[in-house]
Amino acid sequence: NPSPESWKQGLQVVDAMADLDPQEQLDLLRLMMATDTLSERREFVTYIEAADVRVMANEVQRVLAKGLQQGIFSADDEYYSEVKRLADQRAPIDAREAPSLVEDARSAAQGNAAQSAGDVQLSLQDYAQAEAMYQLALEKGVTDRDRNLTRLGMVQAMQGKAAEAKATLEQVSGARVPVARMWMAYADSRA
């Protein structure tokens, strides 16, 4: 039953029950954003901190805007103001540097550069380019294969590629499995 309330409850249970590291929790919070179920200040702040304004400023801007829209933050909120200032400074730089990261990833011997480029593309909501980078990271070999597979499945799901997303996410192992399963449910709900 993919209602907002069922998504919210399911995602909050996974968040509470699973011992997720910050990057795993980030991917769960991204699903909360996609399902429009972020509702508590703690969730917004955790999302912002895990995304890191210095790395994914464009994504942080969207989270801040959503929090402001929902009344989680106010324009005179000290935390909001400081993070927004940093995000507004960094976002155009991230967008400008993204093509060179993709170029560097294509010529790199290892896949970690491609995974990083994929993360930036994900932050910019260029899901097709992110998918290409995560695929390249797998081909070249990447240090954190499960994180890469999770994010590959996520961007496939965001593009409406349910079958591909499920096939990718089924390969995830370890601590990321609960997050991958929730993204598989999301892919199913969009199919």
Side-chain angles (χ1 to χ4, degrees), residues 113-186:
Q115 182 173 351
S116 294
D119 288 347
V120 171
Q121 296 301 325
L122 170 59
S123 173
L124 294 170
Q125 293 184 309
D126 186 344
Y127 301 127
Q129 185 66 267
E131 180 181 13
M133 289 295 98
Y134 291 135
Q135 290 280 15
L136 182 62
L138 285 176
E139 291 167 16
K140 291 185 174 197
V142 64
T143 305
D144 193 341
R145 181 170 162 63
D146 287 322
R147 182 168 99 181
N148 194 79
L149 284 167
T150 303
R151 292 187 178 166
L152 174 58
M154 288 166 46
V155 297
Q156 289 168 330
M158 294 302 282
Q159 294 175 84
K161 298 179 176 181
E164 294 94 328
K166 286 176 65 177
T168 299
L169 292 163
E170 285 174 350
Q171 297 174 57
V172 174
S173 63
R176 284 188 159 272
V177 169
V179 176
R181 285 188 180 148
M182 295 305 290
W183 275 98
M184 287 169 63
Y186 178 73

Side-chain angles (χ1 to χ4, degrees), residues 64-139:
L64 288 169
K66 183 73 164 173
L68 187 63
Q69 174 194 12
Q70 289 186 358
I72 301 295
F73 301 120
S74 63
D76 62 349
D77 181 318
E78 194 173 315
Y79 176 81
Y80 170 86
S81 299
E82 179 60 21
V83 174
K84 183 166 180 6
R85 182 184 63 75
L86 294 170
D88 290 348
Q89 288 173 353
R90 183 68 204 171
I93 298 167
D94 290 351
R96 192 170 51 249
E97 291 177 351
S100 65
L101 293 174
V102 168
E103 236 177 81
D104 293 346
R106 288 191 174 123
S107 62
Q110 300 280 327
N112 291 339
Q115 182 173 351
S116 294
D119 288 347
V120 171
Q121 296 301 325
L122 170 59
S123 173
L124 294 170
Q125 293 184 309
D126 186 344
Y127 301 127
Q129 185 66 267
E131 180 181 13
M133 289 295 98
Y134 291 135
Q135 290 280 15
L136 182 62
L138 285 176
E139 291 167 16

Side-chain angles (χ1 to χ4, degrees), residues 4-16:
E5 191 57 33
S6 65
W7 273 115
K8 180 179 176 180
Q9 290 172 354
L11 291 165
Q12 286 178 338
V13 166
V14 170
D15 187 30

Side-chain angles (χ1 to χ4, degrees), residues 35-72:
T35 57
D36 199 25
T37 56
L38 285 172
S39 61
E40 298 175 13
R41 183 180 177 95
R42 175 191 58 80
E43 294 166 346
F44 281 88
V45 171
T46 301
Y47 191 147
I48 290 164
E49 299 301 318
D52 191 344
V53 70
R54 298 164 300 169
V55 181
M56 299 181 192
N58 290 276
E59 188 168 358
V60 168
Q61 283 181 322
R62 290 190 302 277
V63 176
L64 288 169
K66 183 73 164 173
L68 187 63
Q69 174 194 12
Q70 289 186 358
I72 301 295

